[in-house]
Structures are given as C-alpha cells and as structure tokens.
Amino acid sequence: MLDGKVMVTGGAGYIGSHAVLALLDAGFEVVVIDNLVTGFDWAVDPRATLVEMAVEDPRVRDVIAEHGVKAIMHFAGSVVVPESVSDPLKYYRNNTAATRSLIESAVTADVPHFIFSSTAATYGTPERVPVKETDPTRPINPYGMSKLMTEAMLRDVAAAHPMNYACLRYFNVAGADPQGRSGQSTVGATHLIKIAVEAATGKRDAVSVFGTDFETRDGTGVRDYIHVTDLAEAHVAALKVLIAQPGESHILNAGYGRGFSVLEVLDAVDRVTNMTIQRRMEGRRAGDPAELVADNGAILKTIDWTPKRAELDGIVRDALTWERALAERGR
C-alpha cells in the first residue's frame, strides 16, 4: 500500500469522482484538488478531502506537503474535441500548460508516482484498428495534441527525476457507478451515451448523429466504449504497479478491444428504455476519425485488471439510472 495519500485532480468531475470512489474502496486515503469550474463538490465522496484550487496554483505544493501525498492521479482539464478545434489555446492552457505546472509541483515535492488521464485522440486517424500503443501518434485535433504533449513531458521528467508514471489512453468513457454514487453530471455534455439518455429522460428532443458517410459498417463513427467504473479500477491497478515497480513507467490503452457504431449505441438505448430515441442526421464534426478501437492486450498483461462491465446494454442501463436520479434531484 502507498505510504501516504493519493491526490486526485479533477476529482469532482465525471471520471475523477469515480477514481476517488475506486481508491477509497481499495483502502487508499484521498485528497481532491478541483477548481469546481465544471465539477461538483457534492460529487466528491465525503471520505475524501476536497480542496478548491486550480492545478496550476503553486499552493498545490502546500497541499501535497500537508497531506503527505505520494501519488497523483491527474484528471483535470478540458475534453471537448470540437471546442479544441475552435479554441485551441484554451486546450493548450488548460491541458498542457496547467499540467506542466502540476508536474513541477510534484517534482518539487518529491511525489514518486503520477497517473495521467490521456486519450485515444493521441493516435489521430489510426493506420489500423484495433490500435496499439506502439502505433504512430498523429493527433488530428488540439485536444489530442495537448494530451500527447503531456505524455512527452512525463517521459522526460521521469528520465530526469525519481518519478514513474502511467498514461492511460482512454477510448470512449460511459456509464455510471453501479451503486449510484456518481455519474456524468456535466451540463452540455458531448458524450453520445450521456446525450442519448438525456433524450430518453426528456432533457433533449433528439440525438444528433454527426456523420453518416464514414467508411464503417453503417456509415457512422465506431468507438470503443468503456464503463467508467472499470476505467476507475484500472487506475487503481495501475497505481499498484507503479508502487511495486518504482523504476517502470507505462503507456496503456484503456478500452475493451471492440467497437460499436453510433447507430448501434442508439439501438442499445432504444432496447434498454423500450422507446425510440429521435435521431437527427448531420454532417461530420471537425476532428472526428471514422473508427477508434483499442488493442487492450498490453493493459491486460501489465496490470491486475479484468473488465467486469463490458456489456453495452449494461453501460447504457447504468447511465440511464444515473440520469433519472439527476432528474429526481432537479439537476
């Protein structure tokens, strides 16, 4: 076990709040740093300590010292691909520059372990599917590039300082905590399953399908959807490997190794809700590749992690249950 606490940045957000739950459930002590611009204080489990602060704030070093932080899981940042195309400087500020400040704080405070929330967008349009970690990284949008730049920083910092790291390249994260403790609560979210269950609960009148002319089996984009709780547990497993192997660092795909098209996902929502979600066919969005599916062989071999929630209808069901709970809360 870690001789100190885990700092989770962005721990009041969607994926970060689930990582907090997974860490606490595994017996770790957690302190959360979040500026609450897009996160919610009520999403942070009360077993954790919440500090309202931006990750680039130099006072993060004081929080690290006060709480005896020995590992950082970094989720804070901006995540909307089309927005990154229209406002690239926001992404290089919030993702790359802010993370550089956080890494500097970690090095100054002698934090030995760092886990980074990376993305499959680092691959751009892959040469093959499923895509492996060793395949070329050629981002086609600033979001992916901002994350790839952070991976490079971590590689160089780990070579110069006593720190090891794991970069988990997420594919499409969806679902909610099966116990109903957290879920995706962001207003104006852009994730397909979130949008679809919002439509199912009356928050939207339709779901836009962006692109019907991709070279895929039904013309719509294909993605590898991973349950957020499986992903959170992968972070805990990765941390345990970093602790056990202090000289080793890892870049790992976090996905299931199979993809579903937009239309297949909407069909699953129709099945789970027993209703028909209105679909609105629109043109492609800037920066969207036709297909992104993980080769997950490396993560399965490297860390002690086995996906437990890979069934698409189950992912949709958990997302829908959370969305209905939000509606009951008036959110």
Side-chain angles (χ1 to χ4, degrees), residues 169-193:
R169 290 177 176 165
Y170 308 167
F171 284 66
N172 278 49
V173 188
D177 175 53
Q179 298 180 46
R181 297 173 295 177
S182 190
Q184 190 165 14
S185 309
T186 310
V187 176
T190 58
H191 295 75
L192 175 62
I193 291 177

Side-chain angles (χ1 to χ4, degrees), residues 55-67:
V55 297
E56 64 268 31
D57 193 319
R59 292 177 299 164
V60 166
R61 299 173 196 180
D62 299 329
V63 177
I64 291 172
E66 177 185 350
H67 290 273

Side-chain angles (χ1 to χ4, degrees), residues 167-291:
C167 297
L168 300 190
R169 290 177 176 165
Y170 308 167
F171 284 66
N172 278 49
V173 188
D177 175 53
Q179 298 180 46
R181 297 173 295 177
S182 190
Q184 190 165 14
S185 309
T186 310
V187 176
T190 58
H191 295 75
L192 175 62
I193 291 177
K194 168 71 170 177
I195 290 170
V197 296
E198 284 183 344
T201 55
K203 290 184 180 179
R204 298 174 185 257
D205 59 4
V207 176
S208 294
V209 178
F210 294 104
T212 58
D213 59 346
F214 289 108
E215 292 185 8
T216 59
R217 51 186 171 267
D218 62 17
T220 63
V222 171
R223 297 292 184 268
D224 189 334
Y225 293 88
I226 180 171
H227 195 292
V228 65
T229 299
D230 273 347
L231 179 61
E233 291 173 355
H235 283 77
V236 176
L239 174 58
K240 290 178 178 178
V241 167
L242 294 185
I243 296 168
Q245 303 171 357
E248 300 291 329
S249 295
H250 305 279
I251 295 177
L252 301 167
N253 287 338
Y256 290 149
R258 55 95 180 95
F260 294 100
S261 73
V262 174
L263 295 183
E264 288 169 341
V265 170
L266 295 180
D267 287 344
V269 177
D270 288 351
R271 285 194 302 272
V272 170
T273 59
N274 197 29
M275 61 189 294
T276 301
I277 304 299
Q278 183 68 32
R279 308 172 187 193
R280 183 181 298 127
M281 304 302 176
E282 301 190 24
R284 299 186 190 185
R285 296 179 299 187
D288 273 354
E291 188 170 4

Side-chain angles (χ1 to χ4, degrees), residues 152-173:
M153 281 193 289
L154 284 169
R155 179 195 64 218
D156 295 340
V157 168
H161 299 280
M163 173 191 287
N164 67 344
Y165 68 90
C167 297
L168 300 190
R169 290 177 176 165
Y170 308 167
F171 284 66
N172 278 49
V173 188

